[in-house]
Amino acid sequence: SKRLDISTPYDPVYLTHVGFNPSLREFTGLPNEWQQALQESEISQQDRETNPAAVMEIVRFYQEGRGDVWD
């Protein structure tokens, strides 16, 4: 019989589902890196609660490497 060699995964893609819980007024499912970036940003808790969609756009922009929006 012929032996098959199976390689390790290459070029993996990780999918992340992030949401906003309106009753708790907080984001859910944020990866650790995003949580840290959000905590280190100058985006206030009030801004996060008022417009969570805009905050998610900023985080995505930053994570995609299109610029350093925190500076």
Side-chain angles (χ1 to χ4, degrees):
S1 76
K2 195 173 187 180
R3 182 174 174 213
L4 292 176
D5 289 327
I6 299 175
S7 68
T8 58
Y10 61 93
D11 201 19
V13 175
Y14 299 96
L15 300 177
T16 303
H17 177 75
V18 177
F20 185 77
N21 184 331
S23 61
L24 296 176
R25 313 283 304 157
E26 65 183 24
F27 288 97
T28 58
L30 283 174
N32 291 336
E33 295 85 6
W34 289 21
Q35 288 177 354
Q36 182 179 356
L38 198 53
Q39 289 171 354
E40 293 173 358
S41 73
E42 293 183 15
I43 301 171
S44 71
Q45 183 65 31
Q46 182 180 0
D47 287 340
R48 294 180 210 169
E49 293 174 1
T50 304
N51 200 344
V55 173
M56 288 310 304
E57 281 186 50
I58 292 167
V59 171
R60 277 193 211 106
F61 179 86
Y62 174 73
Q63 287 298 113
E64 291 174 0
R66 293 186 188 159
D68 192 355
V69 297
W70 307 120
D71 290 336

